[in-house]
Amino acid sequence: EQHFHLLAGRVAAIPLGPLKRRVRDQLQRHSRHVAQSRRHEGTVGPVDGFVMDFTIERRRVSVVDELRYGRAMIRVGVSHWSIHPEADLASETVTEALRRGSRFQAALKSCPPETALTFWVYPDSFVAFRRLQQVVQQAGFRVAGRPLPQGVLVSGSPDGTRSQSQ
């Protein structure tokens, strides 16, 4: 899955993978603190103009794991994350994005053919989304649109829904 942010008719690739890796690295560095507290909030980034805020919480251990490893076992994981762009985010208009050599084109070239593209779309960018959707579907990609109300951040959790692409 590759994610894109569409605001004010401008598109930018969201570096979700690199941001998640930074969260994992931070979790490993602070694992002792996280294991002792019930909840830890942090921030990583910026990466390519995006910052991720996250919450790590203790999670219940399954009965099987408790029997296998004992009652002292603790499992921690990300319970929620949100992403917001920095003020100087390098985004592109649809015209710029569809040009050869654009950041958008580079992001598409890095995706295997079976990649689903998820566009997080604000109300002012539905026209831009439809144009990009048409072009990338013609190129063979599956597309999912995630409409967001103005001011709401791109966010997710392990209990959230996965994008359904067409």
Side-chain angles (χ1 to χ4, degrees):
E1 215 174 359
Q2 171 64 55
H3 295 260
F4 293 94
H5 184 265
L6 257 169
L7 176 66
R10 300 181 70 85
V11 64
I14 298 173
L16 193 56
L19 288 166
K20 284 182 174 181
R21 283 191 288 282
R22 286 193 182 189
V23 170
R24 186 180 58 234
D25 293 346
Q26 195 173 103
L27 176 59
Q28 289 172 345
R29 278 195 308 275
H30 302 290
S31 61
R32 207 173 267 158
H33 167 72
V34 172
Q36 291 173 350
S37 64
R38 290 211 174 285
R39 181 182 176 114
H40 171 76
E41 294 181 1
T43 300
V44 293
V47 175
D48 296 336
F50 288 93
V51 174
M52 177 183 274
D53 298 318
F54 62 92
T55 302
I56 296 172
E57 294 181 295
R58 285 188 191 183
R59 300 181 131 203
R60 296 196 68 168
V61 180
S62 71
V63 174
V64 173
D65 284 343
E66 198 172 282
L67 291 171
R68 184 179 294 149
Y69 302 111
R71 288 183 174 238
M73 183 178 170
I74 296 172
R75 181 167 290 171
V76 294
V78 174
S79 61
H80 181 266
W81 55 266
S82 61
I83 294 175
H84 56 90
E86 291 198 293
D88 62 348
L89 174 68
S91 60
E92 300 167 314
T93 65
V94 172
T95 302
E96 293 167 340
L98 296 178
R99 282 191 193 130
R100 196 180 209 143
S102 70
R103 288 181 196 87
F104 181 74
Q105 294 293 330
L108 293 180
K109 284 183 182 176
S110 72
C111 297
E114 67 277 2
T115 302
L117 307 179
T118 298
F119 288 84
W120 298 83
V121 186
Y122 289 93
D124 60 7
S125 299
F126 289 128
V127 171
F129 168 66
R130 291 290 179 214
R131 180 70 182 120
L132 292 171
Q133 178 186 32
Q134 179 184 33
V135 169
V136 297
Q137 282 180 330
Q138 287 175 351
F141 289 100
R142 294 175 295 129
V143 177
R146 292 265 187 161
L148 290 172
Q150 201 65 40
V152 173
L153 299 177
V154 172
S155 62
S157 76
D159 301 323
T161 60
R162 293 188 61 84
S163 297
Q164 297 295 316
S165 60
Q166 298 178 334

